[in-house]
Amino acid sequence: DDQSSGDDMNRCELRIEGGSLIAEGTANDSIVFRSNAESPDDNDWFGIYTSNVDVIHLSYVSFRHASYVVGQSGSWGSISFNGNESDSLRITNSFFRDIGHYIFKVSINVYDAGRAVIKNNKFADFNNAFIKDANIGSGSLLEIDSNQFIAPHGNLSESNLNVYGTGSRIRFTNNQSTSNSHIRFNASGENITEDQVIIEDNQLSSSGWSAVYLNGYSATQGRFLVKDNTLDSMRVSVQDAAKALIQGNTINKYQDNYGAAIYISNSHAVVENNTIQDHRGSGIEIYASFDYQAVKDTIRNNTITGNNTYNNDYRGGIVISGYGNPVIWTNDIYDNSYYDIRNNSTVNDIDARFN
């Protein structure tokens, strides 16, 4: 940095303070951001620093050798967009690779019917995480669609992608990730009737320990749809949700000795038409505490097989604990170690017919 200035006095940065950043190439003529070092490496330059930016549009961009794609110093940087149903943040058809830390080392905040769209991109060889966190307010949308996350790479999120308020939504759809597919969502807001977080048609993998975390509030807030995904060496965890529909997924080979492939705690959930197989722990675990005895869970029309490969005599295909009281109907449950269904609850008799 020959100016010895900016957010990082030792390295160059593209600094946007107010206004817009628009870099739109074409398939035959992309825009390149990269180090000019003779032997370039991660962290050669800072990346894009933004402050009070109104619009970021990147299309057909090749971006390499930075610490961040978008970053700020410290732990609490953010970029905020207030929209009028326009794409305030739009990143499409671009390739980001050789990134030393985060893709987005900022909170992405979208309010007042704003839109943030990250679509048809490739992200490869980054550390830390794809996105630090996000806050999506009333009427706003965060859409992460049809991207490829190519190993090696860090987690998909460091903390929660939060959605709250009427008409707000996060869509995480049609993405592929080959490792470290850990991602967290949080949904809240009273009297919401539509799905707030939609996770659909993704192919996500990990080394055996990643999870999709879905957190609501008091089993009265937070609505989630998890549909038609393939999750390899991963789990889904749902806590305190008003509604979770987990439908049509294939979930394989989560490697925690004790964690279930689908863990549902203090939530209203329907688990249907999934294939849940070959997990080191249980296939499904349903838990409810004393204060959440009214939650209703249904497990139906699933294939649940080959689970509890660790051979723990407390685990099985489906495990019920605490005050859990699911309805378990018309599933194919077989070849799970020790138990196909184990009721560890001392409170409820379980309705497990027609399996």
Side-chain angles (χ1 to χ4, degrees), residues 137-335:
S138 295
S140 299
L141 170 70
L142 171 61
E143 181 177 13
I144 302 173
D145 178 66
S146 300
N147 300 286
Q148 295 182 50
F149 299 91
I150 303 167
H153 62 75
N155 291 335
L156 298 185
S157 77
E158 181 174 81
S159 188
N160 287 325
L161 308 185
N162 302 292
V163 58
Y164 54 88
T166 303
S168 57
R169 186 170 295 182
I170 295 175
R171 294 182 56 87
F172 187 83
T173 54
N174 301 300
N175 299 288
Q176 297 181 24
S177 173
T178 54
S179 71
N180 294 333
S181 300
H182 187 91
I183 190 166
R184 306 179 68 97
F185 299 90
N186 185 82
S188 61
E190 296 180 349
N191 303 315
I192 306 296
T193 59
E194 297 180 342
D195 293 323
Q196 296 169 280
V197 175
I198 298 169
I199 303 167
E200 188 170 2
D201 290 324
N202 301 285
Q203 297 182 39
L204 307 179
S205 300
S206 84
S207 60
W209 307 96
S210 294
V212 176
Y213 283 102
L214 309 173
N215 299 312
Y217 179 74
S218 298
T220 60
Q221 300 180 33
R223 300 178 67 88
F224 303 93
L225 173 64
V226 182
K227 183 178 180 181
D228 294 339
N229 303 282
T230 298
L231 305 180
D232 186 19
S233 301
M234 294 185 63
R235 73 184 301 211
V236 176
S237 175
V238 182
Q239 299 195 48
D240 303 327
K243 178 252 180 179
L245 175 58
I246 302 172
Q247 181 185 72
N249 304 282
T250 299
I251 307 176
N252 301 311
K253 299 178 182 176
Y254 183 62
Q255 294 300 305
D256 190 301
N257 295 342
Y258 301 103
I262 297 177
Y263 176 70
I264 296 171
S265 172
N266 297 333
S267 297
H268 299 277
V270 174
V271 180
E272 65 180 11
N273 303 324
N274 302 282
T275 298
I276 303 161
Q277 62 185 20
D278 299 333
H279 298 280
R280 196 165 172 82
S282 298
I284 300 173
E285 182 174 353
I286 304 292
Y287 168 81
S289 65
F290 177 83
D291 292 333
Y292 288 86
Q293 295 183 62
V295 297
K296 299 184 183 302
D297 299 304
T298 301
I299 302 171
R300 64 191 179 204
N301 302 324
N302 301 282
T303 299
I304 304 167
T305 184
N307 299 293
N308 190 24
T309 62
Y310 188 61
N311 295 319
N312 185 307
D313 62 6
Y314 201 71
R315 307 297 172 187
I318 300 173
V319 172
I320 301 96
S321 57
Y323 290 82
N325 190 20
V327 173
I328 305 171
W329 280 21
T330 61
N331 301 279
D332 290 332
I333 313 173
Y334 61 94
D335 291 343

Side-chain angles (χ1 to χ4, degrees), residues 100-122:
H101 296 289
Y102 298 80
I103 301 298
F104 295 99
K105 194 206 173 211
V106 288
S107 297
I108 296 177
N109 303 323
V110 188
Y111 305 120
D112 300 327
R115 290 167 56 89
V117 177
I118 302 170
K119 186 171 183 175
N120 290 329
N121 303 288
K122 295 180 181 179

Side-chain angles (χ1 to χ4, degrees), residues 64-83:
R64 304 182 70 180
H65 308 134
S67 292
Y68 318 103
V69 174
V70 177
Q72 295 176 13
S73 62
S75 301
W76 304 105
S78 64
I79 51 175
S80 298
F81 302 96
N82 296 281

